[in-house]
Amino acid sequence: MASLVPCPNCGRRPKEEFTIKGAALKRPAAGADASEWFDYVYLRDNPHGAYEEYWHHTSGCRRWLVLTRDTVTHEVAACRDAADGSRLEERT
Amino acid sequence: MSSYRLSKGGLVDRMAPLSFTFDGRSLQGFAGDTLASALLANGQMLVGRSFKYHRPRGILTAGAAEPNALVTVGRGGRTEPNTRATMQELYAGLEAQSQNRWPSLDFDVGALNGLLSPFLGAGFYYKTFMWPAPLWEKFYEPFIRKAAGLGKASYEADPDSYEKSWAHCDLLVIGAGPTGLAAALTAGRAGARVILVDEGSLPGGSLLFETATIDGEAAADFARDTSAELQSMPNVRMMMRTTAFGWYDGNVFGAVERVQKHVRDPAPHLPVERLWRIVARHALLATGAEERPLVFGGNDRPGVMMASAMRTYLNRYGVAPGQSTAIFTTNDSGYALARDLEAAGVDVVAIIDSRPSAGVGYRGKARVINEAAVCATRGRKAISAIEVRRDSRTEPIVVDALAMAGGFSPIIHLACHRGAKPVWSAEKAAFVAPAGLKGLEVAGGAAATTNLAACLGEGAVRAQAIIKELGLSCPPVALPKVEGDEDTHSARPLWSIPGVKGKAFVDFQNDVHLKDIGLAVREGYSHVELAKRYTTNGMATDQGKLSNVNAIGLIAKARGVSPGEVGTTTFRPFYTPVSFGALTGAHTGHHFQPVRKSPLHDWAKKHGAVFVETGLWYRSSWFPRSGEQNWRESVDREVLNIRKNAGICDVSMLGKIEISGSDAAEFLNRVYCNAFLKLPVGKARYGLMLREDGMIYDDGTTSRLAEDRFFMTTTTAYAAGVMNHLEFCAQALWPDLDVRLASITDQWAQMAIAGPKARQILQKIVDEDISDAAFPFLAAKEVSLFGGALHGCLFRISFSGELAYELAVPAGYGESVADALLEAGKDDGIMPYGVEALSVLRIEKGHVTHNEINGTVVPADLGFGKMVSATKPDFIGKAMLQREGLAAPDRPQLVGVVPLDPKQSFRSGSHILAKGVAATLENDEGYVTSSAYSPHIGSTIGLALVKSGPSRHGEEVVVWNGLRGESTPARLCNPVFFDPQNERLHV
Ligand SMILES: [Zn+2]
């Protein structure tokens, strides 16, 4: 796993300080149909390459972050606060 | 004749003799020796028995790749098995034991395995032991365990300490040989922050045995002077005895520093090993190259040694391998060894060179035999002769030592730790690291550079380029002048040797020999990964450092393809074994995990609590009184007293979260499945938090202390998880809500005061009126205590089913307040009670915990169906809760259970069966989630999740415990055993 995570608030910090939730998916609207919810709760892509994930800086600033991590190399291409302006892209 | 110490020469300190023991025998060495060089100096050529065939084995290498000379060092808790004698520095009083021999190294019964060898070939695990299965336990496994083995670990605790640390640098140089020293010097002089690590005790690498001169200076002196300059630079950190074992993402390198593995009595204020994570902007891999053995019959006999190792023992340690040596070589490095041996007065009787016309520049006395190979050796526990084959004729030559120089394989392990595959270079006749690695460059021997001048140049030039890339300026580099160096390039590796007689070993440590590789190929396991597993080649503790490339070469030859086509197996950390101690660091014993103690811990202890560990917490279980024979008597007393008088219990470990902000109510409304938006100020409400899949996640009460401020409690176990979850909701899902979260678990001491007399006791310390009218059930507010001396929060909530309150006060005042309550309730019979009594009370009342909230239940399963808001537009879990299956009538749902005979009992975890059916999975109706002895009912009672449970009250069932062979006739019932109308809550 990624050894150092570039937290936008704390700088590069060791991975032990973080908790990983998994795929950073957009939560469906309340009234979305069942299949959309089923996708959100259960179905995961397993890409070979870049993947957006929620990481929590549990032992740091306690912010939830969205990391773009390469599942092959673990290289972190981007990391932003989950609350920051640019919203999650729709799943394609 | 055997190996011996020369009268002069080497880098050992002959003024500092050291005594040590090997298998109890007292021997002498010098400071600067390794255990291996000291053993050789004492003529101890036999140092171990091989893994499978128990063949006598000697010292093969002078470094980290050693497969044979594994010994056990130290005693008691400091016992260190499988220590490579070639890496262990000698110290006074070192105790070493040989391994894998019985009863002694010289006479080993296990050597009989050699006779069984026809059955122990490649794949023997899969073939020999296939059938019949019952023999596994009785025969095969004990046989394998006894016969195959390395050293034995001690059962005693390790008395030493270990630690972990981080380091950061511009340039990490791995390997302090000529390449690494030149690189570190260049970067150091340019002012870069440099870390130079090397697994050895002295910087220099091959310079320590090299006889070439650098700028007119002896190679070892050049190494010493260069490292002295490096030591003097504040921006350079030299870490000797430090093995970089892995390359990880983010350009982080793992390294282990053996701080005190070379001393008899480690200083207690220092760790014996330190695990480093080194963050490098750039790294240079200057790890050199590993010499390859040659695969001929009896190449494992003591006295056969790698040529570079023989040169190391000769030049660095002043140890000769014998009196008459032969050298079997495929390249010019064999001649450098011949020259050095002859200079030291050791006869070289023959140089057997696989090449047709090499060695013409050699001026020594040895007979050079071209186009020839050693095909076998003779001798028992040491080599006595070799058989040389040329033009299909075989000639015996008497020798007492044999060097083998099969060419060099670059040490590129770390470069391949992140998934990159080595590539075969036909030109270099070696596997080299792939080009284009980010953050890591390979130079010198590790890049298949085969002469000293080029290594020194490459180190400097690469460092210069890296420095520039990092944006630092670098002064011009002057390359030193090297004289007397040999090029060790081996244009044509010699994979297989014609006319091999006897076992020719490929993997010495796992006893894999030539025929095993052939067998694997013939039987269809010629893929390199399959061949590895089928033969176990490369799977020993040395991970095939000497054997892998030879095995690949042999497979390639058998398949008629190039080694590149065969490819390598996967390189993974660790490069060499790392002790569990180093990986564990300081996290042992009490430091394994933190201990959490409530602010009322000392108060509970003072009143005699028996504690139980729940997660990290120590919780008071019960408070025994004199005369009580067992815990049940104490718990029954506490329970009955609460129902009759009052009790006080520490509930500080419940998670407490303060939620504030103008959208706090809206936020709670979304994270709980029940409504919170209109909770009035001054009121508490029980809340159920779901997961997004609709299952219950956690429960607790949340109170509104002000319009925009709430006080949430969670269960003890899920306190941290709920906090993370709420932060996720607030930050990732609904960042537009104005809400702030703070964990306040540790800031408050919280106590439950329960029982019919709770109010009158509590009123004595609470300033406000807490009568039922003024402070009814589910009231919650900040209160003043002791006439305004203190403020706290008071909640009228009840887990016990009695009139009850929870009082939170600032943590530091917890003990005083709890004692004040005991004092205030003295005449009313108040007693402290623990979590056992609490558990009995809640089971009697049918209250659920995480025993019931097991991750598979939805609110309706626990009787909370009506709580779920039908009107809220959204809350976590709402969508998935609508699924049809979650409303199925036969879902396991909460029900009570009592034994038909009150004298009988049952345990939690037991399964519920209909009467008269067999105990099968199909007949399983559910299970008992919680059980306790209820003094109120007078028997064991239980809560259970049973199919269609709520509609089966009154049904007779069997409570079945297959593990204990218990079957208890019981009746399903209402899960609320006590005061089902809740009358006692509202008094
Ligand atoms: Zn952070």
Side-chain angles (χ1 to χ4, degrees), chain B residues 467-480:
Chain B
I467 294 308
K468 283 180 181 156
E469 199 185 307
L470 294 177
L472 297 164
S473 65
C474 190
V477 179
L479 296 182

Side-chain angles (χ1 to χ4, degrees), chain B residues 512-585:
Chain B
V512 179
H513 56 98
L514 184 59
K515 286 183 181 157
D516 293 326
I517 305 282
L519 187 66
V521 172
R522 280 200 307 284
E523 298 196 339
Y525 298 98
S526 62
H527 186 285
V528 66
E529 296 282 5
L530 296 178
K532 168 181 171 171
R533 282 148 186 91
Y534 198 62
T535 62
T536 72
N537 191 90
M539 289 171 70
T541 67
D542 62 349
Q543 292 286 288
K545 288 185 176 56
L546 296 181
S547 66
N548 281 347
V549 178
N550 274 340
I552 292 163
L554 288 164
I555 294 169
K557 192 137 194 286
R559 282 169 49 185
V561 298
S562 91
E565 204 162 318
V566 174
T568 61
T569 52
T570 308
F571 290 97
R572 293 188 181 89
F574 307 128
Y575 172 64
T576 46
V578 176
S579 69
F580 282 112
L583 294 172
T584 308

Side-chain angles (χ1 to χ4, degrees), chain B residues 759-781:
Chain B
R759 181 185 296 125
Q760 65 203 57
I761 296 166
L762 202 54
Q763 187 68 79
K764 291 183 186 168
I765 71 158
V766 176
D767 300 337
E768 285 87 349
D769 176 12
I770 55 166
S771 65
D772 188 51
F775 201 76
F777 183 59
L778 292 179
K781 67 176 189 184

Side-chain angles (χ1 to χ4, degrees), chain A residues 7 9-10 18 57 60-62 65:
Chain A
C7 175
N9 306 309
C10 312
F18 295 81
H57 199 178
C61 59
R62 293 202 66 91
L65 311 171

Side-chain angles (χ1 to χ4, degrees), chain B residues 463-495:
Chain B
Q464 199 175 28
I466 292 167
I467 294 308
K468 283 180 181 156
E469 199 185 307
L470 294 177
L472 297 164
S473 65
C474 190
V477 179
L479 296 182
K481 187 167 164 10
V482 176
E483 278 175 276
D485 181 32
E486 309 280 341
D487 196 301
T488 60
H489 181 55
S490 175
R492 283 179 47 211
L494 185 61
W495 302 125

Side-chain angles (χ1 to χ4, degrees), chain A residues 11 17-18 20 27 35-37 39 43 47 52 54-56 59 63 68-69 73 80 84 87-88:
Chain A
E17 294 181 355
F18 295 81
I20 308 159
R27 189 172 184 266
S35 70
E36 205 177 318
W37 276 100
D39 265 20
L43 295 189
E52 283 207 331
Y54 279 124
W55 285 51
H56 185 225
S59 303
R63 294 297 298 181
T68 309
R69 184 178 68 92
T73 65
R80 62 178 168 82
D84 271 358
R87 296 266 61 92
L88 293 179

